[in-house]
Amino acid sequence: MSPAPPVTRRPATAADLKFLYQVYADSRAPEMALVAAWDEAQKAAFLRSQFEAQHTHYHQHYPDAHFDLILRDGQPIGRLYTCRLPGELRLMDIALLTAARGQGIGTALLTDLVRAADQSALPVTLYVEGHNPARRLYQRLGFVAAGEAIPYEFMRRLPQVNTAS
C-alpha cells in the first residue's frame, strides 16, 4: 500500500455543520439504500433528524471532546471526534467521505491516535456497529471486544507501553 496522502485536522465550527451533515449522510448511504419504500426527501429528512440528534448528544455528553474536521489539501474530507475520559481515550467517531476511503487515511489517523494514547499509557475505547467494515481495521490495530450494547460492540485497545530504556 502506498503512503496515505498527508492530512491535517482543525476544530469543527458552526460554519462546518453543512459539511458534517454531508459526512454523516454519506456514511449512512448503504443503510438508506435498503429503505426502498422511502423517497429521497424522506431519506433526507430522516438523516437530518438523526444527524441533529447525534450532534446534540455528542456536544451535551462530551463537552470537552475534540470535534475535528479531517482535511486533505485544505479541503474537508471527514471528521474525527475524540474525548479524554477518566482513564481512557475515547474514539467517539471517525468518518470519511466515500471518495477518501480506502487510501490509508483512517489507518494513519488511528495509528497516530493509539500512539498518543500509548505515550500517555491510556487505553483507547470505541463503540462500533457489528456490521461496520471498520471493525477489521480496529482489530488490526489491536482493539478487542470488551462488551456489547446492541447494536454496538464496545472495543478496547490497551496501551502498548515501551519498556525499553
Side-chain angles (χ1 to χ4, degrees):
M1 177 191 299
S2 62
V7 296
T8 56
R9 297 181 352 211
R10 73 162 170 80
T13 68
D16 297 312
L17 281 174
K18 183 177 179 181
F19 173 76
L20 292 170
Y21 168 73
Q22 180 186 352
V23 171
Y24 179 83
D26 187 60
S27 72
R28 297 297 184 209
E31 295 167 63
M32 291 294 97
L34 300 175
V35 189
W38 291 0
D39 63 27
E40 292 307 311
Q42 289 170 311
K43 291 177 184 180
F46 175 78
L47 288 169
R48 173 63 63 189
S49 71
Q50 293 297 295
F51 167 75
E52 289 172 1
Q54 181 191 68
H55 184 79
T56 299
H57 174 83
Y58 282 160
H59 284 271
Q60 284 180 347
H61 294 279
Y62 299 96
D64 297 326
H66 295 273
F67 298 97
D68 292 335
L69 287 188
I70 302 165
L71 309 167
R72 180 175 49 198
D73 299 324
Q75 297 301 309
I77 59 168
R79 68 184 190 179
L80 177 65
Y81 296 170
T82 59
C83 188
R84 185 161 181 173
L85 300 171
E88 69 184 80
L89 179 59
R90 173 71 50 88
L91 172 59
M92 296 164 47
D93 192 31
I94 183 170
L96 295 169
L97 292 173
T98 301
R101 294 181 199 151
Q103 300 171 32
I105 296 167
T107 300
L109 290 166
L110 293 175
T111 299
D112 288 347
L113 183 71
V114 298
R115 187 176 300 124
D118 286 350
Q119 290 173 351
S120 298
L122 289 173
V124 181
T125 61
L126 59 88
Y127 285 91
V128 63
E129 291 176 317
H131 66 275
N132 188 327
R135 285 182 78 250
R136 291 187 301 277
L137 170 59
Y138 301 143
Q139 290 168 330
R140 282 197 316 268
L141 293 174
F143 287 83
V144 296
E148 192 173 45
I150 297 173
Y152 300 99
E153 179 177 39
F154 181 66
M155 298 185 83
R156 177 182 297 122
R157 181 190 180 276
L158 295 176
Q160 310 296 306
V161 180
N162 184 357
T163 57
S165 312

